[in-house]
Amino acid sequence: MFEPLNETDVRPHVGEGDSMVAVSVRHLSLGYRDNPKALKDISVDIPERAVTAIIGASGCGKSTLLRCMNRMNDLIDGVQYSGEVMLDGLNILSPGTNVTALRRRVGMVFQRPNPFPKTVFENVAYGLKLSGVTSTRELEEQVEQALRAAALWDEVKDRLDDSALKLSQGQQQRLVIARALALEPQVLLLDEPASSLDPTSTFRIEELIYELKQSHTIIIVTHNMQQAARVSDCTAFMHGGQLVEFGQTETIFTFPVKRETEDYITGRYG
Amino acid sequence: MNDYSNQRGHISAQFSRELEGVQGELLNMGGLVESQIEKAVDATLEGDSLLAEEAIGLDTEVNALERSIDEQCARILALRQPAAGDLRLVLAVIKVTTDLERIGDEAVKIGRQAILLSERGAHDETGIKVRSIAMRVNTMLKAALDSFARLHVEGALSVILTDDDIDEAYLDAREWLVEFIEDQPETLRASMSYLWILKSLERVGDHATNIAEQVIYLSRGLDVRHLDSAKVRDLVS
């Protein structure tokens, strides 16, 4: 299913290379009409096959940074980037990037589960069909594999032809994750993936994140600091469009270097 | 360096009050065990068994404070899920409380020996040794509690460095006491009481050192337990 990101991209992306860095952000700034300095000179190396959490107050730029990883900010009118976001040695912000191929390689899951108004099976098979899989057996195999990877198979294997909208919110969110996983992404972006879920569904998603990091690079934006502490290996703290501190989650939550980080995670006045 | 400070209030004022409350209670407990040790040592030196009973009696209050502080810490951990400096504060308070309670236990042991000594007959020469070590240990304990109250890393370091001197003074005094018993075997029973008292004082010094180590953990995030004092000095300087 390899699709090049641009004309110089010749490397198969699955299981290739020993690099410890999945995404390298270098001097990234971003602005648009309403917020000309949404991101200010951000440089960070996102480790491979690990969970990186981005935390910070509302409006600090954490979702904007996340959306740079798969060019979702292109949808904002008049958006302007400078700097680089390197994936597989390529700057994905460069104009020649095949954005569709990029979004296949960098999957995304949003705050509210957004399954298509189709069957459970069709939801997961949708992207596969678009990328040219036609054999029924192959589709069935890959749908099952994705649903198993999303820890949903046992709950829906007898309901594959039911509407996805009949599933619970927590199941719908895992279905959306399965839909992303079906395309075998390298990187999975999770934007507040559990904020609309009850505690049990939240813990299921967190457990799933732990399983998925064995094979995927995961970047999660969350307002829930305890969740960031529970699921992530590294944490980035952002404030006012800047990256204030990036480090091992354990360090950030026990002995952050910067006063601003300490104030935020301990709930103090800045 | 982002040294811990609880000066900047939390958005939740109630949370700030809870942390201040537990810190305040810990310092009260510290003051109580300080006076417990002082009373027990004075009882030894003055052969005052009533004062010794008083020191022993304070232990009920010390134990109650230990339970109360532990309960407050458990509640803060469960309900507030503290992070960073706040987490280190709660962890340090839990550990320091244990040390203070054990210092209280040493005061009880000293008090019991003081009662025995009032019956067996004290001897002045050994009393002088006890007084000298007790004064140093008391100063050390005060300094450890003061460094905790003010989050003063240098003060904590000086407590840790002092413990080596206390250990040496204890070994010297013990050696001296053995010779004293050889010279005056009729003092054996009383001398055994002094030996227990000296050992208890040496243990109080160890607990004061543990408290000082928690001050360094709380302020700097460094775990300096089980390191030799020169290494600790290099790490925090």
Side-chain angles (χ1 to χ4, degrees), chain A residues 5-119:
Chain A
L5 288 184
N6 65 23
E7 57 202 13
T8 66
D9 185 16
V10 290
R11 296 179 309 159
H13 71 271
V14 178
E16 177 75 5
D18 306 315
S19 161
M20 298 297 286
V21 175
V23 182
S24 180
V25 178
R26 294 182 200 160
H27 301 293
L28 175 66
S29 294
L30 180 148
Y32 46 93
R33 203 180 51 202
D34 294 343
N35 190 356
K37 288 184 173 173
L39 295 179
K40 299 175 199 163
D41 194 26
I42 289 177
S43 292
V44 61
D45 283 338
I46 306 291
E48 196 176 40
R49 289 185 186 138
V51 181
T52 297
I54 309 177
I55 61 170
S58 296
C60 71
K62 55 189 190 299
S63 285
T64 306
L65 175 61
L66 189 77
R67 285 155 186 259
C68 286
M69 314 280 179
N70 68 347
R71 296 268 301 262
M72 287 293 279
N73 292 313
D74 289 10
L75 303 173
I76 304 171
D77 240 4
V79 68
Q80 288 196 315
Y81 300 98
S82 68
E84 296 176 331
V85 176
M86 304 297 291
L87 176 78
D88 292 335
L90 302 169
N91 178 14
I92 60 171
L93 299 183
S94 67
T97 303
N98 175 347
V99 176
T100 310
L102 170 68
R103 290 184 190 153
R104 201 160 288 161
R105 220 175 274 192
V106 183
M108 188 161 192
V109 172
F110 299 89
Q111 183 173 350
R112 297 195 70 79
N114 56 349
F116 304 133
K118 293 172 179 289
T119 66

Side-chain angles (χ1 to χ4, degrees), chain B:
Chain B
M1 182 63 69
N2 171 32
D3 276 9
Y4 180 70
S5 154
N6 200 20
Q7 297 304 305
R8 302 179 322 285
H10 293 83
I11 295 163
S12 163
Q14 179 56 31
F15 183 26
S16 289
R17 280 195 290 275
E18 285 167 15
L19 289 176
E20 284 159 16
V22 82
Q23 264 174 302
E25 202 152 303
L26 183 84
L27 293 172
N28 285 342
M29 185 178 176
L32 198 61
V33 297
E34 242 182 78
S35 85
Q36 206 185 354
I37 289 285
E38 272 171 16
K39 283 181 200 293
V41 169
D42 285 350
T44 306
L45 299 174
E46 291 158 21
D48 185 342
S49 58
L50 280 177
L51 193 58
E53 294 285 3
E54 209 179 305
I56 294 169
L58 282 177
D59 209 42
T60 315
E61 209 175 321
V62 170
N63 292 345
L65 277 170
E66 183 196 26
R67 276 196 293 271
S68 159
I69 292 168
D70 277 356
E71 265 171 35
Q72 290 174 60
C73 288
R75 200 170 59 230
I76 291 171
L77 286 173
L79 304 183
R80 299 289 184 181
Q81 298 165 350
D86 297 335
L87 175 65
R88 299 199 306 279
L89 174 66
V90 175
L91 293 177
V93 166
I94 291 170
K95 290 212 176 277
V96 170
T97 308
T98 304
D99 279 302
L100 289 178
E101 192 276 332
R102 291 193 179 151
I103 293 173
D105 289 345
E106 298 301 335
V108 170
K109 287 182 199 167
I110 296 171
R112 288 197 183 124
Q113 296 303 328
I115 294 170
L116 289 175
L117 271 176
S118 70
E119 294 157 4
R120 289 169 179 172
H123 32 93
D124 291 344
E125 301 94 317
T126 321
I128 292 167
K129 297 275 174 198
V130 169
R131 184 191 299 276
S132 152
I133 292 183
M135 280 172 65
R136 291 162 78 180
V137 166
N138 249 331
T139 308
M140 204 175 152
L141 177 58
K142 277 189 210 307
L145 289 167
D146 188 53
S147 72
F148 191 91
R150 297 190 295 129
L151 296 174
H152 190 233
V153 170
E154 286 74 17
L157 176 62
S158 121
V159 169
I160 293 168
L161 297 173
T162 307
D163 194 44
D164 292 343
D165 300 339
I166 298 291
D167 290 347
E168 206 178 306
Y170 163 69
L171 291 175
D172 284 351
R174 199 177 64 177
E175 203 53 39
W176 180 88
L177 200 53
V178 169
E179 283 173 21
F180 184 80
I181 295 167
E182 280 169 356
D183 283 352
Q184 303 185 42
E186 70 282 5
T187 67
L188 178 65
R189 283 179 175 277
S191 295
M192 287 305 289
S193 286
Y194 281 117
L195 197 57
W196 285 118
I197 290 166
L198 287 168
K199 181 67 198 161
S200 282
L201 289 172
E202 188 268 335
R203 291 295 300 144
V204 173
D206 291 343
H207 291 301
T209 302
N210 293 347
I211 294 170
E213 287 168 350
Q214 291 305 315
V215 174
I216 292 172
Y217 170 70
L218 172 53
S219 284
R220 296 275 174 87
L222 292 170
D223 185 349
V224 297
R225 292 173 302 171
H226 315 299
L227 298 179
D228 76 54
S229 52
K231 175 85 180 156
V232 178
R233 183 173 48 205
D234 291 347
L235 278 173
V236 302
S237 301

